[in-house]
Amino acid sequence: MTSPKKSPKNSRNLGIGDVISWSKKNNGIKGETTSARFELTVFEEHTIRVQISQSDSFYPNPYSTIITPKNISTNIEEKAEKQVWIKTSKIHLCLNLSPFFLTFQTPNGEIINQDDPAFAVSWLGTEVTNYKKVQKNERFIGLGEKTGNLDRAGRAYTNWNTDYFAYGTGDDPLYMSIPFYIGIHDQLAYGIFFDNTHKSVFNFGASNNRFIYFSGDDGDMDYYFFHDDSVPKIISAYSNLTGKMEMPPLWSLGFQQCRYSYYPDSEVTTLAQTFRDKDMPADVIYLDIHHMEKYKVFTFDGQKFPDPKSMIQALKAKGFKVVVIMDPGIKTDKGYLPYDEGKKKDLFVKYPDGQIYEGQVWPGWCAFPDFTKPETRQWWAEKMAFYNEAGVDGYWTDMNEPASWGQFTPNLIDFSYEGELVSHRKARNIYGFQMARSAMEGSLLQRPDERPFVLTRSGFSGIQRYAAAWTGDNVATEEHMMAGIRLVNSLGISGVAFAGYDVGGFAGEATKSLYARWMSIAVFSPLFRAHSMINSSDAEPWAFGEEVEEISRNYMKLRYRLLPTIYSSFYLSTISGLPLAKSLAVDYPHDKKIYLTGFQNQYIFCDKLLIAPVESTVEITKAYLPDGDWYYMYDSQLHQGNQVIYQDCPLNYLPVYVKAGSILALQSDISHTGESNDGILYMHIYQGREKTVHVHYEDDGISNDYKKGGFYKREIEWDSSEGRLIFNKPHGNFVSKFKKIKLYLHGDIKVDSAKIGELALESQYENVSFLGKLTEFDPLPEHDHPYYEIKGTVSFTFKHSIEEFSIDFH
């Protein structure tokens, strides 16, 4: 009998082994095991970095993180030559020496997260994996643009940026990779960001009941561990590490209309005029690939758009901004200036033998700029002068996974990667990230006094610093509408606060009811953009008949009235890194009901509004109201939290609830963000049980002056129990656009009078509606639409003073 053959060394699991030496270093320790070298570094009290490699050096990702370790108090202790402890005020990390494995604990000794002691960190060839024990009833959320349920438990996901047309609602991977998730168990929460740009896998218990794991095809085991006393603090810690978005231009928060494609120029100008004629507020029109000559970037088609500058000027006169698509593929035509320049300056991705790599995309065979090279990013930024001179306002970076026909880019091609020179395996996931960076830097180069707007399809952790994101080529179905909500909410958990989906669905054709419902939901999305595909029916808000047109108009107008609240929330997100569209798992992570499939799509918008999305085919739905009190937005009916309620949801009323104690700030109707309002800030005050603080923020909406004090920021405190509203003194040197304030009081607020100091305010009573009444096109009574008004709402109007003052209600 012959003995079995031994497998090659790299075909079986190689564990990290025992620690053979270790020593202290700044903010942590470093050492060696029988298989690898490691470093454990405290970045902040709530953040510890773990680096493990079989190489002599670490090869970190140069793109995602923006901070270095802080000099904080850290205790390092060795216990009985078996363990080394690193202790901060938030995390106690135990390194077991034989064998190597890590346990993260609270200062009270509760286990937050722990390696599987047998496997911990291991290698299969170049693949590196960290195996983690699963805690009892542990849930997992986040991971960016991933389909499936809110709770990721039981599934595995791949991070490999992929052009996926008409993806299914459970398909993976998609366009963007964000290897950051949050684990939740036993009233605890933690986050892990795996900072490795190779293809990676996160397995949250699929096909095994022993462990979860995350792995990279190659490179270092390099991850950041976060722990704090709440999920929002963990998201903020991750955002501190990878960066936060800056204030976007105000116009980018308005309605954006896109199609593949609008042409010729007469169709574009007709589109703009139709929005104005139909009194449907909008700010942005996109030019897709048909604006280009033979799909070549940095060109206009001379027949379809003979005078783009004049066309764009005409659009601006109507209050519209123009966003153009930019694909990375550069057609390999001699005489085409971008190709000739890129080749001469050695700016394209190449094979190892020096030949330029070519792939087929819209223009035909194309070369691809190496955006991991600083010289390429600078060149691209300079080329954007072509669009700036035409008057273009924003940039849409598409096909930047990078996409090519065949969907199988050779892995051997080389990328600069800031001088490291790496293969496609390491560079693919950050290619779109760096293209978006180039677009943002180009926008700033061309218009240094204006804020950039860049929308990207592809990205990696940190993309929020450069661009907003949308969820790619979705489909016009009820299931996709609901899946898009979860995608945006998951992106928000993962640091990307400015995100949205193609309203109405890109592929396929929406029914009338589906489009109406999608429009109503998208009003409460950070990015509000409609998009549809070539060779499909018209899909503008007026293209689905009179009823849908009126419903769309109502919700579009509501979006614009809500802009003072939305804009202030964007400002707060630039400070905290927290999402604007916030899954209930952020504020209520230990509430089991929020993970049920019937309620997992619900979310909080701008910290004040509970959105309960529902399919357009449903006329009555269940909504789960979490802890607290909630007012049905349209009639101010009060509901207690911690209960499931039945809610009518006719097509013209999306279930929305206002959190008790909230202050909603609205403005008058406007047709675009460049139009002046009536100068009155309409503030809806909701009775609650606790003191709350509303932050009202303004600036000019376009320049970077806000970074130099050109803003108006005011905290407004509402004490429901005392019936007192305090307007603290504003900060900043920007003059508010609102000269008066009109308060509306909702809930059981007993008011006979109100005073500012000794000045008595005159009360008024009026009927308030957030949505307009629909025209009854069909005379049959069974087709009547419901209409909600909050009758007899008490209101007070007064001058908007810059001094601190308070209002007492009696």
Side-chain angles (χ1 to χ4, degrees):
M1 181 177 178
T2 58
S3 58
K5 292 182 179 180
K6 291 185 177 180
S7 298
K9 181 180 178 181
N10 65 357
S11 65
R12 295 196 67 223
N13 188 72
L14 173 66
I16 190 170
D18 297 339
V19 176
I20 55 177
S21 67
W22 70 274
S23 61
K24 294 182 181 180
K25 70 180 191 75
N26 288 338
N27 292 74
I29 66 173
K30 62 182 179 180
E32 295 184 1
T33 72
T34 50
S35 299
R37 58 192 299 266
F38 68 90
E39 290 193 13
L40 308 176
T41 307
V42 175
F43 265 58
E44 297 190 52
E45 287 88 349
H46 47 55
T47 305
I48 295 179
R49 185 183 191 180
V50 177
Q51 292 174 281
I52 301 169
S53 179
Q54 290 186 307
S55 302
D56 292 335
S57 301
F58 295 115
Y59 292 93
N61 162 19
Y63 300 113
S64 291
T65 63
I66 61 170
I67 64 172
T68 55
K70 288 185 176 178
N71 186 18
I72 63 170
S73 175
T74 304
N75 294 323
I76 298 175
E77 307 170 2
E78 184 174 10
K79 293 187 177 180
E81 298 184 351
K82 293 182 179 180
Q83 296 175 338
V84 178
W85 287 79
I86 301 175
K87 297 182 178 181
T88 75
S89 63
K90 299 286 180 74
I91 302 171
H92 287 187
L93 170 57
C94 175
L95 164 61
N96 195 79
L97 299 178
S98 181
F100 176 109
F101 69 87
L102 301 177
T103 303
F104 298 87
Q105 298 184 8
T106 69
N108 294 329
E110 301 164 291
I111 292 178
I112 311 167
N113 178 266
Q114 185 177 41
D115 289 345
D116 183 301
F119 302 120
V121 176
S122 303
W123 288 264
L124 283 168
T126 63
E127 180 185 85
V128 59
T129 305
N130 193 175
Y131 296 92
K132 298 282 189 180
K133 294 180 70 173
V134 182
Q135 305 303 312
K136 186 178 180 180
N137 299 321
E138 188 166 9
R139 301 182 187 276
F140 309 94
I141 61 173
L143 218 63
E145 190 185 58
K146 294 298 179 187
T147 59
N149 292 323
L150 169 61
D151 182 2
R152 307 297 190 189
R155 279 200 61 180
Y157 296 88
T158 299
N159 289 310
W160 186 244
N161 292 351
T162 301
D163 173 17
Y164 200 150
F165 172 74
Y167 55 89
T169 57
D171 289 345
D172 183 69
L174 299 183
Y175 311 89
M176 187 173 291
S177 297
I178 303 181
F180 167 68
Y181 77 90
I182 294 174
I184 298 165
H185 65 87
D186 299 315
Q187 302 301 308
L188 300 172
Y190 67 90
I192 287 180
F193 165 42
F194 181 31
D195 193 12
N196 182 322
T197 64
H198 289 88
K199 180 189 288 186
S200 62
V201 170
F202 282 71
N203 186 327
F204 296 113
S207 303
N208 87 92
N209 61 1
R210 175 168 177 173
F211 43 61
I212 66 162
Y213 65 81
F214 50 94
S215 63
D217 272 7
D218 205 335
D220 299 339
M221 175 51 60
D222 187 352
Y223 72 90
Y224 295 83
F225 183 89
F226 309 92
H227 169 68
D228 214 316
D229 58 13
S230 71
V231 169
K233 289 182 180 179
I234 291 168
I235 296 173
S236 289
Y238 168 77
S239 297
N240 286 337
L241 180 72
T242 59
K244 308 178 187 79
M245 70 171 175
E246 296 193 351
M247 282 301 292
L250 177 60
W251 56 261
S252 67
L253 309 190
F255 181 70
Q256 307 187 19
Q257 183 66 52
C258 187
R259 180 176 175 84
Y260 165 41
S261 294
Y262 289 119
Y263 66 90
D265 53 3
S266 58
E267 182 176 0
V268 179
T269 53
T270 299
L271 174 74
Q273 188 59 48
T274 306
F275 275 106
R276 300 297 178 243
D277 290 344
K278 290 184 173 291
D279 190 25
M280 306 184 89
D283 267 82
V284 183
I285 292 175
Y286 282 69
L287 300 179
D288 208 325
I289 60 173
H290 289 88
H291 83 271
M292 295 181 275
E293 177 191 329
K294 298 180 179 178
Y295 310 126
K296 293 186 292 186
V297 69
F298 306 122
T299 68
F300 276 99
D301 186 305
Q303 291 186 328
K304 298 184 181 78
F305 296 91
D307 190 355
K309 188 172 184 177
S310 294
M311 179 197 72
I312 292 173
Q313 286 176 342
L315 294 174
K316 289 182 186 297
K318 299 180 190 297
F320 282 94
K321 305 294 183 181
V322 174
V323 174
V324 295
I325 195 169
M326 292 195 301
D327 291 347
I330 301 291
K331 186 172 177 62
T332 53
D333 273 358
K334 291 182 179 179
Y336 172 40
L337 188 59
Y339 174 67
D340 292 342
E341 287 181 349
K343 183 177 181 181
K344 181 179 180 180
K345 296 180 179 181
D346 191 25
L347 302 178
F348 295 132
V349 174
K350 296 184 295 185
Y351 290 100
D353 64 2
Q355 181 178 328
I356 292 173
Y357 163 71
E358 295 183 32
Q360 276 187 304
V361 208
W362 300 114
W365 288 103
C366 291
F368 291 83
D370 184 357
F371 292 110
T372 70
K373 194 173 188 176
E375 295 85 352
T376 305
R377 295 194 295 269
Q378 178 64 29
W379 169 76
W380 188 271
E382 292 168 355
K383 298 305 294 180
M384 286 169 60
F386 172 81
Y387 291 122
N388 181 56
E389 290 165 4
V392 168
D393 301 285
Y395 301 92
W396 171 25
T397 60
D398 195 13
M399 304 291 284
N400 54 340
E401 290 72 33
S404 61
W405 309 153
Q407 299 280 39
F408 221 88
T409 306
N411 276 336
L412 82 168
I413 57 178
D414 284 335
F415 295 77
S416 171
Y417 210 83
E418 309 308 308
E420 185 180 333
L421 197 63
V422 304
S423 77
H424 175 254
R425 294 173 69 210
K426 189 169 184 176
R428 180 178 183 86
N429 279 341
I430 51 82
Y431 186 84
F433 180 15
Q434 293 308 293
M435 182 185 180
R437 174 185 179 179
S438 302
M440 189 274 282
E441 291 174 348
S443 185
L444 282 173
L445 177 67
Q446 303 303 330
R447 294 188 189 177
D449 297 327
E450 292 188 15
R451 302 173 205 174
F453 174 72
V454 177
L455 182 64
T456 186
R457 190 169 75 176
S458 182
F460 194 77
S461 291
I463 185 62
Q464 65 272 8
R465 304 198 305 268
Y466 304 127
W470 98 103
T471 59
D473 297 341
N474 62 356
V475 183
T477 65
E478 305 280 348
E479 295 77 17
H480 253 273
M481 178 175 69
M482 305 304 276
I485 294 162
R486 294 195 300 279
L487 287 172
V488 169
N489 292 351
S490 184
L491 284 165
I493 290 169
S494 309
V496 184
F498 197 3
Y501 32 72
D502 285 346
V503 177
F506 177 70
E509 297 189 3
T511 63
K512 293 181 178 182
S513 62
L514 175 60
Y515 187 87
R517 180 68 83 201
W518 216 326
M519 282 290 284
S520 68
I521 294 172
V523 163
F524 306 100
S525 168
L527 179 74
F528 187 21
R529 186 184 92 132
H531 188 30
S532 57
M533 191 178 171
I534 197 170
N535 293 325
S536 63
S537 299
D538 289 350
E540 293 72 41
W542 52 80
F544 297 87
E546 293 90 342
E547 179 186 27
V548 176
E549 180 179 325
E550 286 203 7
I551 292 172
S552 297
R553 180 184 297 109
N554 270 345
Y555 277 96
M556 294 164 80
K557 284 177 172 288
L558 178 60
R559 169 75 173 206
Y560 278 74
R561 289 200 301 274
L562 280 169
L563 279 177
T565 292
I566 297 171
Y567 197 64
S568 297
S569 295
F570 264 85
Y571 164 74
L572 292 174
S573 182
T574 68
I575 304 301
S576 68
L578 294 177
L580 287 95
K582 189 164 52 172
S583 164
L584 295 186
V586 176
D587 288 340
Y588 311 95
H590 306 293
D591 186 334
K592 295 178 182 179
K593 279 194 172 65
I594 68 165
Y595 299 100
L596 298 177
T597 54
F599 307 126
Q600 66 177 347
N601 301 314
Q602 294 184 194
Y603 63 97
I604 304 292
F605 187 61
C606 296
D607 277 327
K608 303 170 189 297
L609 300 172
L610 171 61
I611 315 302
V614 61
E615 294 88 345
S616 71
T617 55
V618 175
E619 295 182 355
I620 186 168
T621 188
K622 289 181 179 180
Y624 176 62
L625 306 180
D627 189 41
D629 294 328
W630 303 88
Y631 294 86
Y632 185 56
M633 184 178 190
Y634 310 108
D635 66 4
S636 282
Q637 181 182 351
L638 179 63
H639 301 273
Q640 291 184 342
N642 290 314
Q643 67 162 328
V644 176
I645 65 170
Y646 285 91
Q647 180 66 61
D648 289 336
C649 49
L651 197 58
N652 58 324
Y653 281 103
L654 174 74
V656 178
Y657 306 86
V658 184
K659 188 175 184 179
S662 292
I663 298 176
L664 284 183
L666 282 74
Q667 65 181 357
S668 62
D669 285 335
I670 55 174
S671 60
H672 57 88
T673 57
E675 187 174 82
S676 296
N677 56 52
D678 66 2
I680 303 174
L681 183 64
Y682 300 89
M683 303 189 76
H684 293 259
I685 315 296
Y686 291 82
Q687 175 77 344
R689 300 184 186 184
E690 302 173 351
K691 293 181 180 180
T692 54
V693 178
H694 169 77
V695 175
H696 176 72
Y697 177 87
E698 300 177 49
D699 57 32
D700 65 16
I702 190 65
S703 79
N704 293 304
D705 289 350
Y706 74 96
K707 297 180 180 180
K708 299 174 287 186
F711 61 85
Y712 179 94
K713 176 187 173 185
R714 186 167 214 163
E715 290 189 351
I716 303 166
E717 302 175 33
W718 170 226
D719 187 338
S720 293
S721 60
E722 296 294 329
R724 172 169 288 183
L725 190 66
I726 302 172
F727 287 75
N728 290 310
K729 191 173 179 63
H731 298 278
N733 54 37
F734 184 78
V735 177
S736 174
K737 302 168 189 174
F738 300 99
K739 307 308 177 187
K740 292 183 179 180
I741 294 175
K742 187 170 187 177
L743 299 181
Y744 293 96
L745 305 184
H746 299 264
D748 188 22
I749 305 175
K750 305 297 184 184
V751 178
D752 294 319
S753 63
K755 288 184 176 182
I756 300 177
E758 296 301 316
L759 176 64
L761 299 179
E762 182 180 349
S763 62
Q764 296 177 315
Y765 295 87
E766 59 185 277
N767 297 339
V768 174
S769 60
F770 284 98
L771 295 173
K773 182 176 175 59
L774 297 187
T775 304
E776 298 302 343
F777 297 103
D778 191 328
L780 295 176
E782 60 264 31
H783 297 295
D784 285 355
H785 298 93
Y787 174 61
Y788 289 104
E789 281 186 314
I790 308 162
K791 297 185 181 297
T793 305
V794 64
S795 67
F796 300 90
T797 304
F798 51 90
K799 181 181 177 182
H800 187 187
S801 170
I802 62 171
E803 300 301 323
E804 180 176 334
F805 66 95
S806 62
I807 302 177
D808 293 296
F809 301 108
H810 302 284

